[in-house]
Each structure stands twice: as structure tokens, then as C-alpha cells.
């Protein structure tokens, strides 16, 4: 994540601490997972609000496997599923839901 050292560091820290914190919370009956949502546009990639060049943003978008940014509803579906009885067996995981970006 060139140019995003602080952001990348904070994401890495969350990913690494997840198993330890999850184990401690599980003893209290709390299930913890961490979601890595990838490039989800919450407004920071819009032409009027971004601090990046529009050419850079467009090139990055075209390089995504689905040719689009994630929408907030994309990781929300996974989070919603984890909160159901069907997701109860998933604990202490870092789950990437990035539309295949980690494959490129």
C-alpha cells in the first residue's frame, strides 16, 4: 500500500492481534473475527473527495478483478452472516472479502 504506511501498519496490527484477543474473549462468550474488506469506496475514492489523482484511481479500479470498487454492502453481507447461527463456528479469523484484489 504505497504511500499508506500508517494505514497498512494498523491493518497488519489488527490482523496479528486477532487470534490472541479472540482467545481471551471466547472465554467470556464473545466471538471475535476481523474483516479485511479491501478497497471499499466509502467516499474516499470519489472525484470530489479524493486526495489522489483521478488517473491513479481509474487505473487502480480497472486493475480490480471485478472492475469496480467494493460497496459497503459487500463486506456487510459477510459481517451479517457471521452474526447468524450459521457463522457461529467461525472464531478468531481474519477474513478477506476484497473482490479478489489480494489475488492480483
Amino acid at each position: 500500500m504505497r504511500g499508506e504506511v500508517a494505514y497498512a501498519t494498523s491493518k497488519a496490527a489488527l490482523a496479528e492481534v486477532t487470534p490472541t484477543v479472540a482467545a481471551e474473549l471466547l472465554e467470556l462468550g464473545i466471538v471475535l473475527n476481523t474483516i479485511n474488506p479491501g478497497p471499499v469506496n466509502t467516499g474516499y475514492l470519489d472525484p470530489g473527495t479524493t486526495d489522489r489523482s483521478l488517473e491513479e484511481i481509474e487505473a487502480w479500479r480497472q486493475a480490480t478483478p471485478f472492475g469496480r470498487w467494493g460497496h459497503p454492502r459487500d463486506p456487510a453481507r459477510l459481517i451479517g452472516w457471521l452474526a447468524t447461527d450459521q457463522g457461529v463456528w467461525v472464531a478468531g479469523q481474519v477474513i478477506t472479502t476484497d473482490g479478489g484484489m489480494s489475488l492480483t
Side-chain angles (χ1 to χ4, degrees):
M1 296 184 68
R2 190 177 182 104
E4 299 289 344
V5 173
Y7 179 71
T9 301
S10 66
K11 285 185 79 167
L14 284 172
E16 289 302 311
V17 76
T18 293
T20 300
V21 175
E24 293 180 9
L25 291 176
L26 201 55
E27 294 172 0
L28 301 172
I30 300 169
V31 177
L32 173 79
N33 292 291
T34 297
I35 304 301
N36 176 13
V40 174
N41 187 9
T42 56
Y44 77 103
L45 296 169
D46 293 339
T49 57
T50 189
D51 60 351
R52 299 173 187 261
S53 77
L54 296 181
E55 294 80 19
E56 176 186 359
I57 291 173
E58 182 57 20
W60 190 27
R61 185 197 59 76
Q62 288 179 9
T64 65
F66 288 101
R68 69 168 178 87
W69 305 118
H71 302 286
R73 68 180 172 268
D74 293 323
R77 285 190 289 264
L78 172 60
I79 294 164
W81 178 81
L82 285 169
T84 69
D85 288 341
Q86 293 175 333
V88 72
W89 194 243
V90 181
Q93 301 301 305
V94 177
I95 305 170
T96 298
T97 174
D98 67 357
M101 278 298 292
S102 56
L103 302 175
T104 61

